[in-house]
Amino acid sequence: NISVRQAVRPAASFVVILAAVTFAVATALVFSFGVSPRVVQHCPPEGSEQGAAGSRIIGVQQQQQKDGVGIDDHQLSLLLGGDEGRLSSLPFYTASLVSSTGNWTRLPDSQVEARLDSLRAGYFHCPLLDDQDKCSAARYQAILSWEFTAGVTAYYGKTGDSGGSGSGRSPGGAGVEGTASSDETPSLEKVARECLAGRALAFSGDSLSRQSVHSLVCMLAHAIPGSSVTKSYTKNDVGAMDSFVVSMPRTNSEEVTEQIGNGHGARDTITVLWNTNDLNPYLVSYKKGRPRPELDLEVLHPSLRRMLDERPDWLILNFGLWVDPSSWAIPGRDFLQGFKLIIVNVLRSLSLLPNRPRVIFRNTPFRHQEADSPDSDGYSCNSTEPSFNTSGIDYLYGYAEEAQNAVLSSLLRRENQALLESAKEGPENAGIRSRLLYRILDAESVGRARRDAHKGWPKDCSHYCLPGVPDHWNRLLLQMMWDDCIKGLVP
């Protein structure tokens, strides 16, 4: 008879050997996955000490397996596109997808107090700010002590897009070329009067898009002395929208009757369109809600179609928060597959528009949700300082936003390549080609370090305090629009 101890000993040895072989195979697979060339590189702020892209992707795989999402290396590479490496090597694509590489710099106490005094006189009294935007005085003191800078164009950022035809109204005068340069850092009032006046911007997306609208309108009203804001709500058989009109006092050089752009008003008004607080979290029409929405992928959301009827000069789109594992549970379709399908169908619908505006996608910053303690299932985002050595895998579901943004970048690059290949050659068509191209406002890179800037209590890790980080997204957006005006890429 074999004793229990004798039987256990060889079994235990077999288990040890099997575990060692399994570990070796798994390690090889992980390192093979981590150096995948199909992964879109991020642009971390200069001076940060973030890990390599490979380490973040390993974290994506590990977290997906833990959550039961079930996306393997092959599936992810298909989502990101096999031609990513070739496309990213083309100089044009590096320029057309805006990069927000920069630094967060702590301001001296005297500048912080001066900033707070200025904001108390204007921005803090903006009527658009609601409970989802407002934070305590102590939070503002900490949040607003940091400034995002990016070299020469520190105030707004820089796109590097090119190919304008020179037609349209350039800053400095109607139809005048060469009167301004995109390398300069204009004041917000200068951008408003010489570029945005008489034009319309349309925002469509989730509640972070709503914060972008609140931020931009409040920034404009605060920066332009004597300005006022009016809000109107309209609904027809297509859909509903909110319209915010920023009215500026005329200067002596402005003609009362002059209209520009698509006829949205005289030189003293800026129109900002928004899909109302009913939100548009998928960009396409849908029924029910998260986590199992019924999407009509072939039809744009009614509010988006309503705004497009107004022929805006710029269209700023975002979605993502409702398409991550915390909000998406459609059987047989994981969150990245759903995200890709939405983008592909939105691009198809936009391609059919006879007069498409300049389209900018804002990518999704991750939420900075941190576990309350190692043994707790709860989370919070109540940090009081930024973190400059961080990535999405450090936060609950942060990996999902990073993966979504990689997919977005890949698909837009491929779409831009197709647009270039189909557009007619010749210098006379350069402006048309540039006007059709898609761009990305890289909110993820801007907000990556700012775990301290969220609304916080009670555990709101999606939204930000206003004024705050969304203002810096809009500074990049304003630079993109300024460049469009200089190069004649808007009517």
Side-chain angles (χ1 to χ4, degrees):
N1 294 331
I2 301 176
S3 67
V4 173
R5 179 173 298 180
Q6 289 174 322
V8 168
R9 187 175 299 159
S13 300
F14 175 76
V15 169
V16 170
I17 294 172
L18 181 61
V21 172
T22 303
F23 177 79
V25 173
T27 301
L29 288 174
V30 167
F31 278 100
S32 174
F33 185 83
V35 297
S36 170
R38 296 187 176 100
V39 174
V40 179
Q41 285 84 17
H42 294 274
C43 299
E46 295 174 358
S48 66
E49 298 178 354
Q50 298 179 24
S55 65
R56 290 199 291 272
I57 296 304
I58 291 171
V60 170
Q61 185 188 49
Q62 292 171 339
Q63 186 69 47
Q64 288 167 343
Q65 291 173 345
K66 185 175 73 174
D67 290 342
V69 176
I71 298 176
D72 58 23
D73 183 19
H74 176 66
Q75 289 173 311
L76 185 60
S77 68
L78 289 177
L79 287 170
L80 295 180
D83 54 357
E84 177 59 37
R86 180 174 64 86
L87 291 182
S88 62
S89 66
L90 298 176
F92 177 84
Y93 294 98
T94 303
S96 66
L97 295 179
V98 65
S99 170
S100 57
T101 301
N103 296 302
W104 284 101
T105 306
R106 188 187 289 275
L107 299 175
D109 290 344
S110 59
Q111 291 187 28
V112 176
E113 288 303 319
R115 168 182 282 185
L116 287 169
D117 287 343
S118 173
L119 293 171
R120 291 187 190 106
Y123 196 128
F124 281 125
H125 299 288
C126 181
L128 273 65
L129 299 183
D130 56 28
D131 291 340
Q132 206 170 57
D133 303 322
K134 297 177 182 178
C135 292
S136 67
R139 294 291 307 281
Y140 284 124
Q141 183 78 31
I143 291 169
L144 297 174
S145 63
W146 295 87
E147 178 75 8
F148 186 80
T149 57
V152 175
T153 52
Y155 193 66
Y156 294 121
K158 182 176 175 62
T159 67
D161 196 5
S162 62
S165 62
S167 62
R169 179 174 62 98
S170 299
V176 179
E177 296 183 56
T179 58
S181 168
S182 61
D183 290 332
E184 65 182 66
T185 304
S187 68
L188 184 51
E189 184 173 5
K190 181 180 179 70
V191 175
R193 290 191 178 279
E194 299 185 14
C195 177
L196 303 184
R199 294 189 167 111
L201 303 70
F203 289 79
S204 192
D206 55 29
S207 54
L208 285 182
S209 185
R210 180 194 58 79
Q211 284 208 299
S212 296
V213 170
H214 287 191
S215 164
L216 181 63
V217 174
C218 293
M219 287 172 66
L220 291 170
H222 175 68
I224 305 168
S227 62
S228 62
V229 179
T230 57
K231 175 185 176 181
S232 61
Y233 170 87
T234 59
K235 183 176 182 179
N236 59 17
D237 55 352
V238 175
M241 70 175 186
D242 285 336
S243 177
F244 301 93
V245 177
V246 181
S247 299
M248 303 174 287
R250 293 187 178 92
T251 63
N252 293 334
S253 61
E254 290 176 335
E255 297 181 13
V256 175
T257 59
E258 181 182 5
Q259 291 201 348
I260 57 174
N262 289 324
H264 294 290
R267 284 286 299 272
D268 61 343
T269 62
I270 302 168
T271 303
V272 180
L273 307 176
W274 159 238
N275 55 227
T276 78
N277 286 338
D278 289 338
L279 302 184
N280 179 13
Y282 306 110
L283 301 184
V284 296
S285 183
Y286 71 97
K287 296 179 181 178
K288 299 183 178 180
R290 51 186 171 184
R292 293 180 175 84
E294 297 178 2
L295 305 179
D296 187 347
L297 293 170
E298 296 184 358
V299 180
L300 293 175
H301 190 273
S303 63
L304 177 51
R305 286 184 281 132
R306 174 69 184 88
M307 287 189 290
L308 287 170
D309 285 345
E310 297 295 313
R311 296 184 60 199
D313 299 282
W314 291 277
L315 176 63
I316 300 93
L317 302 173
N318 90 282
F319 76 108
L321 291 182
W322 286 34
V323 194
D324 77 0
S326 68
S327 302
W328 183 273
I330 296 181
R333 180 176 292 171
D334 58 59
F335 78 96
L336 271 183
Q337 291 171 330
F339 188 83
K340 179 183 179 182
L341 284 173
I342 292 172
I343 296 175
V344 168
N345 282 277
V346 168
L347 293 177
R348 181 197 60 79
S349 295
L350 292 175
S351 70
L352 301 176
L353 296 177
N355 296 293
R356 194 172 80 207
R358 291 284 277 160
V359 180
I360 299 169
F361 282 85
R362 181 184 56 71
N363 65 16
T364 304
F366 45 80
R367 295 184 176 99
H368 296 99
Q369 296 173 332
E370 300 178 273
D372 289 334
S373 69
D375 301 322
S376 171
D377 292 330
Y379 62 87
S380 61
C381 48
N382 296 309
S383 299
T384 57
E385 291 286 335
S387 175
F388 297 104
N389 185 22
T390 189
S391 70
I393 62 172
D394 298 319
Y395 306 98
L396 182 66
Y397 297 120
Y399 74 92
E401 276 74 49
E402 287 193 329
Q404 287 176 349
N405 294 340
V407 170
L408 176 66
S409 179
S410 177
L411 290 176
L412 292 190
R413 281 176 168 150
R414 292 166 62 181
E415 185 71 11
N416 281 350
Q417 183 199 33
L419 287 169
L420 283 179
E421 291 175 348
S422 63
K424 294 181 179 179
E425 296 297 330
E428 69 278 5
N429 294 312
I432 297 175
R433 289 195 298 272
S434 293
R435 192 156 49 240
L436 293 175
L437 296 172
Y438 297 98
R439 291 176 294 174
I440 292 176
L441 174 56
D442 191 2
E444 180 202 325
S445 292
V446 176
R448 180 182 296 274
R450 298 309 307 273
R451 63 179 185 177
D452 61 313
H454 290 280
K455 173 72 175 174
W457 299 104
K459 296 189 176 182
D460 182 351
C461 303
S462 300
H463 304 101
Y464 291 87
C465 300
L466 287 182
V469 169
D471 299 335
H472 297 276
W473 304 343
N474 281 326
R475 288 171 178 172
L476 294 173
L477 174 64
L478 287 162
Q479 177 63 48
M480 297 169 83
M481 294 187 291
W482 177 253
D483 287 349
D484 287 345
C485 289
I486 288 172
K487 294 161 185 171
L489 298 179
V490 286

